[in-house]
Amino acid sequence: MNQQASALVTAADISRLAGVTRATVSNWRRRHADFPAPAGGTDTSPTYDVDAVRAWLSARGQLPEDTPADELRTALRAHPGDADLALHLLPAVLAAARLDRRNREALPELRDDALLRWARAVTADKADDVPGFAGLAYGADAAGPLRALLRSVAADGAEATTDVLAERLLEDAGGTGTYRTPRPLADLMARLLINSTGDDFPASVLDPACGTGSLLAAAASAGATELRGQDILVAQAAQAAARLRLSAPEAVISVRTGDSLRSDAFKGLTTAAVLCNPPYGVRDWGHQDLAYDQRWAYGVPPKGEPELAWVQHSLAHLAPGGRAVLLMPPAVAERTAGRRIRAQLVRDGALRAVVSLPQGAATPLHIGLHVWVLERPDPQAEPPGTVLLVDAAAAAAENRDLDWTAVHNTVLSAWRPYLADRDGFTGVPGITGAVPITDLLTEAVDLTPARHIRTASRQALRPALLARQASESYGRLRRAAQDLTDLSADGDWPPADDRPRDWRTATVADLLRGGALTLLRTAPASRRTRSVEPLPQPEPERSGRPTLTATDVVKNRPASGTKADLPADAPLPSIQESDVLLTETLRVGHSTVARVVEPDESGCFLGPHLLLFRPDQRRLDPWFLAGFLAAEQNVNAAATGTSIVRVDPRRLRVPLLPLAEQQRYGAAFRHLHELRTAARRADQAAEDVTRLLGTGLTGGALLPNGHGSA
């Protein structure tokens, strides 16, 4: 076996390796003279020899057992030109995913020469499957990373292994203005392609700026069978191709590389639908080179309006009546430079709807993005007289956290009735409305939904109904406030000794190995649980049972999800009483939430982005487990990511305490959960009361207390 160069790791890598925070690594560097000296990098961002770091951590008992994913990360860093290797290993992931479990687990045990022969044989004709792969021959120094990759596929599944490769590809990709579309937003955009009855999804979908394939994956889940994508970055296109072939193996998939505006890989293609999240803020999009392009049927896009170039590029690929859904910066709806093109889109009936999303829906998180729905005008059909505007940001304003279920309901409950009866659609005052095109064709041609529909009509207010609703909200507020007062009555908690208690702990990985715990999650069929147990298969009547979503857990509400929230054709675990649920992802600044399943929730399906811990109750108290799993310092030590943080459950730690003592802590954690729930109910009730009263007073439907009605 060839000797490989030792990898260099950063402080962030060390924190992940040891399962601690970055601050802890900084303390080690300052306080321990024998901490390994930097082997590279810069003064402000040093790198360290991974073998020296491992030896130092191991000597102090700070080195957790490596997971297969960790071994793959280390193997990639130790290999020269590791970014290229990460790209070229993608076909091997696809090949391993097609094997049965027995052969997949046997592969890593082969000798180097046999392993390389297998890789060369199964990937020899995969140049068309994964962009950027053509011409590669696996060298002898690829055996180590290849073996680590196959162990990761065997233990964690092909998609999880692809995520590890994507980490390395992302590090070298640089800033491109392209961001991955979050799954809930991708699903919403895909659903806007469905007709008014909720079925008949377009068979063929194109994404001309596909990134890593999020939108095309959502289209495949909804029913698309022909998926085409293009991206300017080879690394992103390769990821998209691999992810789509894993998640939609039966679909016809074609992913190309190149600049779609300057060099369209699908020139002349007519498709039923387009989904696109165009690059954000890219001014060098080819304005001068493409001045006379035939795609600009609605006007030549100004240099500062690249998004309007993507709009027309998408329309040019549609068949008459075909639909495109694009994610757009809000400024595109109002910038002066683009008003003529906007006017022509509205006048010709190409623009069908504009939806404003709440902040945080997608990167950039501080901006409330828009979704534009467009249709290629049918020359034989009469142009529509209205454009649907939806202010989903206003509908979600009363929620502190982004509630995707509410956003989906707001948008789709307007879009589908509007499609069914465009002339008779009335909308919801202040939230949705069908705006006549004559009202939009002003001098500014401002398409921002809030400009047209946020102010509710005074005539729509009904004084008696509003007064009754306000009275009912007051009643809910009083009851919630009383519950909060009762739970707050006992606020005396005894202190520990002079110093905080210091427990001996075990990782979740240790508890899984010891049989004290089982870990389940809803994931594509290629993944398995970390405990290496196959997920239970779904019952035949999948649609007859609700799905508990991550939002349900955060808001502590009953299961609200449907089969649309579940991946198609995937093994689905159902939850049981006393299971512990933990949110797998969270936004920066938000806390991880854990809760224990109540008896009436038993039997629901487990939704995505949730971790299910099933404790052996003879050894672990559920509420004790929930409290310590969700502890802030615990989650921080086991989390990775920047704007979206993902928790690695195997790294979470739990104190080793007698069951009787666990139960005392469990009772305390349950009390805190009830206190937090009561506080949220009171807060929501207060929001409802103030919103209703404010609307009534300012709209003239209600009078102040003590004011005569005469």
Side-chain angles (χ1 to χ4, degrees):
M1 186 178 299
N2 289 0
Q3 184 68 28
Q4 296 182 9
S6 182
L8 297 178
V9 291
T10 64
D13 296 325
I14 297 173
S15 68
R16 183 170 56 191
L17 186 65
V20 299
T21 64
R22 289 281 301 276
T24 300
V25 176
S26 297
N27 285 335
W28 287 343
R29 292 170 53 195
R30 289 194 303 268
R31 297 171 59 182
H32 296 282
D34 60 341
F35 189 84
T42 64
D43 291 339
T44 56
S45 182
T47 56
Y48 304 85
D49 182 276
V50 67
D51 293 333
V53 169
R54 285 179 177 278
W56 191 89
L57 292 172
S58 179
R60 285 154 183 78
Q62 293 284 346
L63 185 63
E65 181 181 349
D66 270 354
T67 65
D70 292 330
E71 293 176 0
L72 176 57
R73 291 186 182 97
T74 301
L76 291 173
R77 288 191 175 280
H79 192 280
D82 54 7
D84 287 339
L85 180 62
L87 172 64
H88 293 147
L89 284 174
L90 285 170
V93 177
L94 297 178
R98 288 191 284 266
L99 298 175
D100 58 35
R101 177 180 176 180
R102 182 163 156 269
N103 287 326
R104 194 162 55 233
E105 292 179 346
L107 267 178
E109 309 309 318
L110 295 177
R111 292 167 49 92
D112 284 6
D113 54 351
L115 191 61
L116 291 169
R117 279 198 304 273
W118 171 84
R120 292 164 186 156
V122 297
T123 61
D125 58 348
K126 301 305 178 188
D128 292 336
D129 288 356
V130 179
F133 179 70
L136 174 79
Y138 291 106
D141 55 355
L146 185 60
R147 192 183 309 280
L149 175 124
L150 293 172
R151 285 174 177 156
S152 180
V153 172
D156 301 327
E159 291 206 2
T161 303
T162 302
D163 290 343
V164 176
L165 298 178
E167 290 175 10
R168 291 299 301 126
L169 293 169
L170 182 62
E171 289 180 10
D172 295 322
T176 65
T178 302
Y179 304 98
R180 187 171 184 177
T181 309
R183 176 63 185 269
L185 177 54
D187 289 341
L188 174 61
M189 293 174 65
R191 291 184 192 186
L192 290 171
L193 295 175
I194 304 176
N195 61 20
S196 59
T197 60
D199 53 16
D200 193 22
F201 194 86
S204 175
V205 179
L206 167 69
D207 184 349
C210 66
T212 57
S214 303
L215 288 170
L216 290 173
S221 296
T225 56
E226 297 179 22
L227 309 172
R228 296 179 176 88
Q230 182 173 354
D231 197 86
I232 194 170
L233 294 178
V234 174
Q236 300 231 80
Q239 288 182 65
R243 293 180 190 277
L244 292 172
R245 293 184 187 282
L246 289 171
S247 62
E250 302 302 321
V252 176
I253 298 167
S254 177
V255 180
R256 314 265 181 91
T257 58
D259 185 333
S260 289
L261 294 182
R262 286 188 171 98
S263 181
D264 187 359
F266 298 100
K267 192 171 184 178
L269 171 71
T270 299
T271 186
V274 173
L275 289 172
C276 187
N277 178 0
Y280 178 78
V282 178
R283 295 179 65 86
D284 183 20
W285 57 270
H287 170 258
Q288 292 182 339
D289 301 334
L290 302 173
Y292 301 102
D293 198 285
Q294 294 182 350
R295 289 171 291 183
W296 312 147
Y298 300 90
V300 179
K303 182 176 181 180
E305 295 284 353
E307 294 82 8
L308 293 179
W310 287 99
V311 164
Q312 297 189 74
H313 174 81
S314 299
L315 285 168
H317 273 293
L318 292 175
R323 190 174 300 154
V325 181
L326 281 78
L327 186 65
M328 308 287 277
V332 183
E334 62 175 343
R335 283 194 296 240
T336 302
R339 67 182 184 272
R340 292 183 180 177
I341 294 178
R342 293 196 301 270
Q344 197 63 41
L345 290 168
V346 171
R347 191 177 294 113
D348 287 1
L351 182 67
R352 303 306 312 121
V354 178
V355 177
S356 63
L357 298 172
Q359 291 183 1
T363 307
L365 298 175
H366 65 287
I367 295 175
L369 298 171
H370 287 181
V371 172
W372 285 26
V373 183
L374 303 115
E375 288 183 2
R376 177 78 177 265
D378 188 342
Q380 307 302 320
E382 182 180 352
T386 61
V387 174
L388 176 67
L389 300 183
V390 180
D391 192 359
E398 61 190 49
N399 295 318
R400 294 181 179 177
D401 296 316
L402 181 58
D403 186 343
W404 274 112
T405 300
V407 172
H408 279 222
N409 290 340
T410 298
V411 176
L412 297 177
S413 64
W415 174 243
R416 288 172 181 167
Y418 175 73
L419 282 182
D421 185 8
R422 298 181 183 185
D423 294 331
F425 180 79
T426 57
V428 178
I431 303 296
T432 65
V435 180
I437 63 173
T438 53
D439 292 352
L440 297 174
L441 293 175
T442 61
E443 181 179 354
V445 197
D446 190 340
L447 304 178
T448 306
R451 302 272 199 275
H452 299 274
I453 62 174
R454 180 165 292 184
T455 304
S457 170
R458 292 166 59 89
Q459 285 73 24
L461 298 177
R462 299 167 59 187
L465 176 61
L466 201 61
R468 184 170 70 252
Q469 291 174 336
S471 178
E472 293 171 353
S473 294
Y474 255 124
R476 289 193 295 271
L477 176 58
R478 283 191 293 268
R479 291 191 294 272
Q482 185 59 53
D483 291 343
L484 184 59
T485 300
D486 294 343
L487 288 167
S488 304
D490 186 8
D492 295 326
W493 296 69
D497 296 331
D498 294 339
R499 301 181 60 185
R501 295 188 65 181
D502 189 15
W503 295 291
R504 189 166 63 91
T505 63
T507 65
V508 165
D510 295 331
L511 297 174
L512 292 173
R513 283 192 295 270
L517 197 61
T518 301
L519 173 61
L520 302 172
R521 74 183 85 190
T522 293
S526 59
R527 290 192 189 181
R528 306 212 317 276
T529 61
R530 287 286 198 168
S531 54
V532 201
E533 294 292 333
L535 291 175
Q537 293 295 322
E539 296 182 1
E541 294 297 326
R542 170 185 292 224
S543 60
R545 294 158 56 184
T547 300
L548 193 72
T549 68
T551 302
D552 296 333
V553 172
V554 170
K555 294 182 176 294
N556 193 35
R557 68 187 185 191
S560 66
T562 65
K563 64 178 182 179
D565 297 296
L566 297 169
D569 303 321
L572 300 175
S574 59
I575 63 177
Q576 301 177 8
E577 181 181 355
S578 299
D579 285 345
V580 176
L581 303 175
L582 185 76
T583 51
E584 184 179 19
T585 60
L586 63 150
R587 300 207 319 265
V588 171
H590 291 65
S591 300
T592 299
V593 175
R595 87 173 203 217
V596 177
V597 173
E598 300 294 344
D600 59 347
E601 297 174 316
S602 183
C604 295
F605 284 126
L606 181 71
H609 311 301
L610 283 174
L611 300 167
L612 186 154
F613 300 85
R614 184 164 293 160
D616 179 349
Q617 295 184 54
R618 297 168 299 179
R619 301 161 66 180
L620 287 171
D621 177 79
W623 276 107
F624 162 82
L625 181 65
F628 278 99
L629 287 178
E632 184 176 0
Q633 63 272 27
N634 202 6
V635 170
N636 287 342
T640 59
T642 52
S643 57
I644 301 295
V645 177
R646 184 178 299 274
V647 178
D648 181 352
R650 290 174 60 90
R651 295 187 181 278
L652 294 170
R653 291 184 170 273
V654 180
L656 298 176
L657 299 178
L659 185 60
E661 190 169 3
Q662 290 183 36
Q663 291 168 344
R664 288 194 291 272
Y665 275 94
F669 286 130
R670 178 161 197 158
H671 176 83
L672 295 179
H673 172 76
E674 292 170 350
L675 181 65
R676 182 185 299 111
T677 301
R680 287 178 174 170
R681 282 201 303 266
D683 179 61
Q684 186 60 57
E687 289 286 346
D688 292 342
V689 167
T690 55
R691 178 175 53 82
L692 283 169
L693 292 179
T695 299
L697 290 169
T698 58
L702 297 178
L703 300 174
N705 281 335
H707 191 292
S709 60

